[in-house]
Amino acid sequence: DLATAEAGSLLRDLDWETSLHGCAVPAGTVSHTGIAGLTLGGGWGWLSRSHGLTIDSLLSVTGFLADGTKVVASSSQNPDLFWAVRGAGQCFLAVTQFTYRLHPVSSVFQGTASIPLDNPSSVQLLKKALKLSQNCPNELSINSYIANNKAMVSLCCTDPEGCFDIIEEIRLFATDSGGETQNFKEIPYVDMQRGSDTLAPHGKGYYVKSSMVSYTEDVLHLLLKLYQERPDFLHEEGTSQVIGITHLGGEVNNRACDETAWCNRETSHTIEIISSWPVPSPSDQIEQTKNWARSAFSSITSKDPQKAEIYSNFASSDPSDQKVASWGCNAPRLQRLKAKYDPTNVFRGNVSITPDCKAVEGTSVFDEKAKEKGIHENSHSTLAFEGVRKEDIKYLYSEGASGEEVFNEDFEIETIDFKLFMTNKREFSDKLGKAMEDTGFCVLRNCHELTGYTASDYERVDAEIRSLFQSTVSTKQKYAASRPRTASVNQGYFGHKQTSGIHPDLVEGWVFSSPAFDPSVAHNYWPDSEPAEFFKEYVASHLKLVSPLTQAVLTYLGLSSSEVEAWCSERVCPPQHALRLNYYPPVSREDAASGAGRLLGHEDVTLFTILPAPKVEGLQILLKDGSWARVRSPPGSIIINTGDYMQRLTNDRLRSTTHRVATPSDLSQVRTSSPINIYLWEEQIIDPLVPPTGTKTPYPPVKAINFHTSITEKFYGEGYKEP
């Protein structure tokens, strides 16, 4: 269901009309708010945890550019402008009409609990709300307020049965502590939307400061202190101060930070400091009221300077309000788009974007590369870096990017029972070796008897990866992969579309090599000790597979048992390795249409890769006949593939196969993976184990570090191989 609203509409108009059809848009908490400004700045409300920001339900806008041109912006018309509209729209055009996607909501369960601040239990009420908000279902929003000399907690729930225990815990605590409770019953959604109107009545002057700092108990105590120590003149009749803590998270966080201009998707709470006064009031009194809010804002943001920026919808004319948190890492792109759509900066107000006229944006990163050289030429140019012979030039290709493709829908990847290694090593060796020779890939099942990891354990791995990548952007950037490198394996965090120089891959990556698992220095590589310990055990358990796999492959190649034992002992006991954690966020429609892919065609620069079957499929491999095949692996199994090291060691007999991760049909789907890459140690020599077939020239010996960095220079740029 859709709703179209004119720009002059108030929130109560939209709420009322949609309620007649049992639907709603996640927008706002005060019914006399204008929908235009609310939407263009991002917009949140009582339904945001279950349905996202207002802009996440926005389907299109109609409006006028600075030169008077009438435009429609949507995912199919002017998609770059539509991207900018969703979070920074006030800086790009005058919108006259909005079209929203509706969500089925007619009633909600609502309740408000309050305890006077002179009651010690008031602090505990706010602490309880904070704690419960951190792990509650998306259907429940828990907003807190310090106002009217009370601690207040307001609840809104679209699934009261599923949230009953939490709701009752807050209600009973308030009543048992001598506080008050109101409603705690099901009411029409439109009534819920009117419930906060009394906190922001008409006929008064307002000054608002907001912040997206991390909301902790320390910050909570600071907020109480700031409120209780406010100057005496702020207690006068008609003057009021409200500190609001808005509960976000949920579906707000379930999108990539660059899917819309509003990028601060890791936010779990926002803090608003609202100061008001009667109209008219003396100018000095108004300024004093503003100064209290400014001082309080400064005290709060000093706790977390990285989040000192504001939400654009709460921006004032203060110069300090020009730094907008909700744009964050998207600011450079907004500047380029500003130069395209409003180069003279006509649309400026409380917040403004300076046009970057030297870098006008017209196409995506992928389109720019293709436009400059063409996909095939870009792919072909990477061959100069290769350390092994490559015949398939597919590096930049996502599904469909190379034109018409052939899929072998009958292909079934070789699946091998790992129990064979214990019962019939020769048969295991033959099956594994042949699979590596034919396709470079196979699936192992029943590895849990060695690793100890079952399908349910991999569910935990998936959850840990998601949690790690939910770290704030500033936190992740502290661990960004170094340039230049510090070793052959370039470890650290890689941002969205930044995993390599030639691939606009729609994935975030985090690489951890051996030093990251040394407890004495682990803090240099991990934002927290808990995931460090979890993944240390994960890696150690799966490294148990390295020796059996290596033994099987070398036996297949014809080495004697003594040669196999000696080579394994010298080269892979223990092995050089790296853990790569991949987080594939939801894909924006713009990126899906641009030719970018979740992970474009490439080969692994490894001896082999150990990849526990991802929860969400998408892996595709390029077969020898030029057709593509989808890799389907059951939960709990492990995918094995050989890489460039193995191809060099075997003089091309065991191939390094081109593979990619396809964009899903459901663009909202999140995918994670946790491959462990196995290498040779940097100073070891890659000296082929078997002669080449036919008339091929054998590869000469090469030091592992030189081999590795020469190839990876194609990903990270010229000069990467120089330490």
Side-chain angles (χ1 to χ4, degrees):
D1 291 335
L2 308 179
T4 298
E6 303 297 326
S9 304
L10 298 180
L11 188 55
R12 63 183 171 218
D13 303 323
L14 179 65
D15 292 335
W16 175 254
E17 294 298 331
T18 56
S19 73
L20 298 178
H21 303 275
C23 297
V25 175
T29 58
V30 175
S31 73
H32 51 254
T33 304
I35 66 161
L38 174 81
T39 302
L40 296 176
W44 61 61
W46 289 112
L47 301 179
S48 288
R49 283 183 46 77
S50 52
H51 298 296
L53 298 171
T54 307
I55 54 173
D56 297 334
S57 294
L58 183 65
L59 298 177
S60 70
V61 298
T62 301
F64 293 87
L65 299 177
D67 64 1
T69 302
K70 185 177 182 179
V71 294
V72 175
S74 67
S75 60
S76 59
Q77 294 179 267
N78 301 301
D80 56 351
L81 179 60
F82 186 55
W83 177 87
V85 162
R86 289 173 292 165
Q90 66 270 46
C91 299
F92 284 86
L93 77 168
V95 177
T96 58
Q97 187 179 83
F98 299 83
T99 298
Y100 302 96
R101 178 190 300 109
L102 295 177
H103 304 275
V105 178
S106 57
S107 63
V108 295
F109 189 93
Q110 187 269 343
T112 299
S114 63
I115 299 177
L117 291 179
D118 57 10
N119 182 335
S121 294
S122 61
V123 180
Q124 297 307 313
L125 175 66
L126 296 175
K127 285 184 177 181
K128 184 174 290 291
L130 167 59
K131 182 178 180 180
L132 293 172
S133 72
Q134 293 170 338
N135 293 294
C136 70
N138 290 356
E139 291 76 19
L140 176 62
S141 292
I142 306 175
N143 287 359
S144 299
Y145 305 91
I146 306 172
N148 300 324
N149 293 308
K150 296 178 181 180
M152 304 166 62
V153 174
S154 288
L155 310 174
C156 178
C157 183
T158 56
D159 178 21
E161 289 186 10
C163 304
F164 177 80
D165 290 346
I166 297 176
I167 293 170
E168 274 296 278
E169 185 171 345
I170 290 177
R171 186 186 70 82
L172 290 174
F173 181 84
T175 55
D176 292 347
S177 301
E180 297 179 353
T181 59
Q182 292 179 322
N183 293 332
F184 279 87
K185 63 181 181 181
E186 190 165 338
I187 61 174
Y189 175 67
V190 289
D191 291 347
M192 181 74 205
Q193 287 289 81
R194 300 188 190 108
S196 298
D197 289 2
T198 56
L199 294 176
H202 287 301
K204 299 186 72 173
Y206 291 92
Y207 184 77
V208 181
K209 301 291 282 188
S210 76
S211 176
M212 298 183 184
V213 298
S214 300
Y215 181 46
T216 62
E217 284 196 8
D218 285 347
V219 172
L220 168 57
H221 284 292
L222 176 60
L223 295 176
L224 286 164
K225 181 174 182 290
L226 291 169
Y227 184 85
Q228 291 173 317
E229 294 181 356
R230 64 198 191 283
D232 290 341
F233 68 86
L234 293 181
H235 296 257
E236 295 177 7
E237 185 177 353
T239 300
S240 67
Q241 296 75 43
V242 176
I243 296 178
I245 301 99
T246 299
H247 185 202
L248 293 180
E251 285 301 312
V252 174
N253 298 159
N254 200 22
R255 289 174 181 259
C257 65
D258 63 351
E259 185 171 339
T260 60
W262 202 97
C263 85
N264 209 23
R265 295 287 179 170
E266 75 275 11
T267 298
S268 62
H269 296 82
T270 67
I271 297 172
E272 300 97 42
I273 303 168
I274 306 169
S275 196
S276 65
W277 55 88
V279 175
S281 287
S283 58
D284 59 337
Q285 180 179 334
I286 294 173
E287 194 59 27
Q288 287 177 324
T289 305
K290 289 182 177 182
N291 284 339
W292 173 79
R294 293 181 184 122
S295 176
F297 173 78
S298 178
S299 298
I300 295 165
T301 54
S302 66
K303 291 282 186 180
D304 191 357
Q306 292 293 332
K307 291 294 183 67
E309 305 94 334
I310 64 152
Y311 169 41
S312 63
N313 278 357
F314 289 149
S316 70
S317 57
D318 287 354
S320 62
D321 280 5
Q322 293 301 303
K323 193 176 182 184
V324 179
S326 49
W327 298 341
C329 58
N330 289 331
R333 185 182 180 192
L334 286 169
Q335 289 183 289
R336 297 194 297 272
L337 287 170
K338 182 74 168 178
K340 178 180 179 180
Y341 287 105
D342 183 18
T344 59
N345 201 15
V346 170
F347 294 109
R348 63 188 186 275
N350 287 350
V351 292
S352 178
I353 297 172
T354 303
D356 183 358
C357 296
K358 294 181 180 180
V360 179
E361 175 163 320
T363 54
S364 69
V365 174
F366 182 83
D367 289 337
E368 288 287 358
K369 283 186 171 293
K371 182 178 177 182
E372 182 182 350
K373 289 185 176 180
I375 296 173
H376 186 82
E377 187 177 340
N378 268 295
S379 297
H380 190 82
S381 67
T382 64
L383 292 178
F385 297 97
E386 298 297 351
V388 292
R389 286 176 277 267
K390 299 286 178 71
E391 297 177 358
D392 301 308
I393 306 169
K394 303 287 186 181
Y395 301 120
L396 290 183
Y397 293 159
S398 61
E399 186 171 347
S402 59
E404 186 174 346
E405 293 179 331
V406 176
F407 268 86
N408 185 342
E409 300 294 358
D410 296 326
F411 173 80
E412 292 289 340
I413 193 167
E414 179 69 25
T415 300
I416 307 169
D417 191 335
F418 188 73
K419 290 179 180 179
L420 269 178
F421 181 76
M422 304 304 298
T423 60
N424 191 332
K425 285 186 172 60
R426 182 74 252 183
E427 184 179 354
F428 179 80
S429 174
D430 289 344
K431 285 179 176 289
L432 179 65
K434 189 174 187 305
M436 296 301 104
E437 191 164 5
D438 289 347
T439 64
F441 276 79
C442 75
V443 170
L444 297 181
R445 58 188 180 88
N446 290 324
C447 294
H448 65 276
E449 296 193 4
L450 182 64
T451 66
Y453 276 68
T454 63
S456 60
D457 295 309
Y458 291 124
E459 290 277 351
R460 166 85 189 278
V461 174
D462 174 78
E464 289 288 341
I465 296 173
R466 291 171 185 250
S467 176
L468 180 64
F469 281 91
Q470 290 304 311
S471 302
T472 63
V473 174
S474 59
T475 296
K476 289 184 285 193
Q477 288 299 333
K478 291 178 184 177
Y479 301 90
S482 60
R483 301 287 195 277
R485 64 177 177 83
T486 56
S488 61
V489 179
N490 196 17
Q491 66 176 328
Y493 170 75
F494 295 83
H496 193 242
K497 297 186 183 179
Q498 297 173 4
T499 50
S500 76
I502 66 168
H503 286 180
D505 293 325
L506 308 179
V507 61
E508 294 179 63
W510 211 322
V511 180
F512 304 92
S513 60
S514 304
F517 301 102
D518 180 347
S520 64
V521 295
H523 62 277
N524 294 326
Y525 304 95
W526 299 87
D528 190 85
S529 60
E530 187 171 328
E533 287 299 316
F534 176 83
F535 284 108
K536 179 181 179 180
E537 192 278 333
Y538 168 81
V539 169
S541 296
H542 288 80
L543 288 182
K544 296 175 184 177
L545 291 167
V546 173
S547 183
L549 293 173
T550 307
Q551 291 176 38
V553 167
L554 297 185
T555 300
Y556 177 79
L557 293 172
L559 274 67
S560 67
S561 58
S562 59
E563 289 173 323
V564 169
E565 183 179 354
W567 200 93
C568 289
S569 176
E570 294 172 5
R571 304 299 187 96
V572 295
C573 294
Q576 169 68 304
H577 62 277
L579 168 67
R580 178 179 178 120
L581 302 179
N582 294 315
Y583 178 79
Y584 301 86
V587 179
S588 69
R589 292 183 180 86
E590 183 181 6
D591 280 333
S594 75
R598 277 195 150 170
L599 196 61
L600 303 188
H602 68 286
E603 298 85 38
D604 289 350
V605 190
T606 63
L607 188 64
F608 49 83
T609 301
I610 300 170
L611 172 63
K615 185 176 179 180
V616 175
E617 293 185 343
L619 180 62
Q620 299 175 353
I621 64 174
L622 187 66
L623 303 179
K624 287 181 178 179
D625 63 3
S627 64
W628 287 93
R630 308 178 206 280
V631 175
R632 298 178 176 87
S633 48
S637 64
I638 295 179
I639 301 167
I640 304 293
N641 68 279
T642 44
D644 289 351
Y645 279 70
M646 187 65 80
Q647 183 171 337
R648 179 102 180 189
L649 277 167
T650 62
N651 268 314
D652 300 331
R653 185 173 171 186
L654 303 188
R655 59 192 305 225
S656 180
T657 300
T658 304
H659 53 286
R660 67 193 182 192
V661 177
T663 300
S665 56
D666 179 1
L667 298 182
S668 67
Q669 198 171 48
V670 172
R671 182 182 192 268
T672 70
S673 65
S674 50
I676 300 170
N677 297 330
I678 308 302
Y679 314 96
L680 295 183
W681 292 94
E682 295 182 345
E683 298 304 313
Q684 290 179 338
I685 302 299
I686 303 176
D687 194 358
L689 296 167
V690 294
T693 58
T695 59
K696 288 182 179 179
T697 303
Y699 292 117
V702 61
K703 187 181 289 188
I705 188 172
N706 296 336
F707 173 77
H708 190 107
T709 56
S710 176
I711 297 174
T712 49
E713 190 175 18
K714 75 185 179 190
F715 296 117
Y716 304 129
E718 294 183 10
Y720 171 76
K721 63 184 177 184
E722 302 299 330

